[in-house]
Amino acid sequence: GAVVSQHPSWVICKSGTSVKIECRSLDFQATTMFWYRQFPKQSLMLMATSNEGSKATYEQGVEKDKFLINHASLTLSTLTVTSAHPEDSSFYICSARTPGGWGQPQHFGDGTRLSIL
Amino acid sequence: SQQGEEDPQALSIQEGENATMNCSYKTSINNLQWYRQNSGRGLVHLILIRSNEREKHSGRLRVTLDTSKKSSSLLITASRAADTASYFCATVLTGGGNKLTFGTGTQLKVEL
């Protein structure tokens, strides 16, 4: 159980394109999902917390107009990288926490590798 | 600065040996979690230890937590080539909601 599906797994596109990444919890409802960014051989940096039915909470330094997050249902959150540029190239990973209060682990998608040419 | 620092950054051992990774953090935590990441993939949750616990076991994994030293260790016993991956500790800070703050990670290579 507790499967998180992320799509697409790999995107290559031209500079200036907007790219949408989907994160779905397949067998549980997730009121909260998280979006991370990871550079090669580095750790995960939290970008934002996605809350179902309300605005996302962004971490300091993350441009909310650049990285649009929508959490329209209990099983789907989307991250849209608007007008992407080469510096946005990275590995983006989403996660969702299973219900149950404090101390529940997060379950991660397999990530999306974004390459902007 | 980042909450968790791990050492070593990289570890190479032979199959059958034990692997120990350490994680240090800076502020009060609610719980600490260990995750594994295979190259180019997402993270897999391994084990969670709460701030009032000192040790936990799961199969070949043993995690310890010393809140007085703000440190944790992950021991993998009888390692296998399939254990080759990056391992991250992550903390949930006291009063920090459900956010995870990740450590720098340890790259483990288990050779045949």
Side-chain angles (χ1 to χ4, degrees):
Chain A
V3 177
V4 174
S5 173
Q6 189 171 339
H7 178 81
S9 56
W10 202 349
V11 180
I12 302 175
C13 58
K14 294 181 180 179
S15 185
T17 307
S18 292
V19 178
K20 180 185 281 189
I21 303 170
E22 292 187 348
C23 181
R24 294 181 185 271
S25 56
L26 297 186
D27 51 0
F28 65 99
Q29 293 184 331
T31 54
T32 304
M33 292 184 174
F34 303 88
W35 288 96
Y36 297 85
R37 184 172 181 174
Q38 185 180 32
F39 291 103
K41 298 191 184 300
Q42 293 190 25
S43 188
L44 280 73
M45 297 300 293
L46 179 65
M47 298 174 65
T49 302
S50 172
N51 305 297
E52 188 268 335
S54 65
K55 291 182 180 180
T57 304
Y58 290 82
E59 295 300 299
Q60 193 171 12
V62 178
E63 298 176 60
K64 57 183 68 176
D65 294 330
K66 175 74 169 176
F67 300 99
L68 299 179
I69 291 172
N70 183 279
H71 195 152
S73 78
L74 286 171
T75 59
L76 174 64
S77 175
T78 61
L79 168 68
T80 301
V81 183
T82 62
S83 186
H85 292 286
E87 59 267 27
D88 299 321
S89 298
S90 190
F91 191 55
Y92 293 87
I93 311 177
C94 71
S95 72
R97 189 178 60 85
T98 48
W102 283 101
Q104 296 303 309
Q106 291 183 18
H107 300 277
F108 287 78
D110 267 345
T112 297
R113 188 161 303 283
L114 176 62
S115 296
I116 308 298
L117 305 177
Chain B
S1 62
Q2 199 163 21
Q3 166 73 351
E5 300 291 332
E6 293 181 60
D7 78 272
Q9 288 188 341
L11 179 60
S12 183
I13 59 175
Q14 298 293 312
E15 202 171 45
E17 294 180 338
N18 296 341
T20 300
M21 289 158 259
N22 301 296
C23 168
S24 62
Y25 57 92
K26 294 181 179 160
T27 58
S28 178
I29 63 170
N30 176 279
N31 65 72
L32 184 145
Q33 304 176 31
W34 284 90
Y35 288 84
R36 165 198 169 124
Q37 183 181 34
N38 285 63
S39 181
R41 303 295 298 274
L43 277 71
V44 175
H45 178 260
L46 295 177
I47 200 164
L48 181 154
I49 187 165
R50 301 181 197 283
S51 60
N52 61 352
E53 297 176 309
R54 291 296 166 260
E55 188 171 312
K56 263 189 127 167
H57 296 256
S58 177
R60 293 184 295 113
L61 306 180
R62 173 178 168 254
V63 167
T64 63
L65 178 65
D66 187 335
T67 53
S68 67
K69 295 181 179 179
K70 293 186 171 57
S71 67
S72 174
S73 68
L74 169 67
L75 168 67
I76 304 174
T77 60
S79 64
R80 306 166 181 167
D83 294 329
T84 295
S86 292
Y87 292 82
F88 294 92
C89 68
T91 52
V92 175
L93 305 183
T94 301
N98 294 307
K99 295 195 302 185
L100 286 175
T101 303
F102 281 86
T104 49
T106 294
Q107 290 189 339
L108 173 65
K109 184 175 182 181
V110 181
E111 299 185 84
L112 294 169

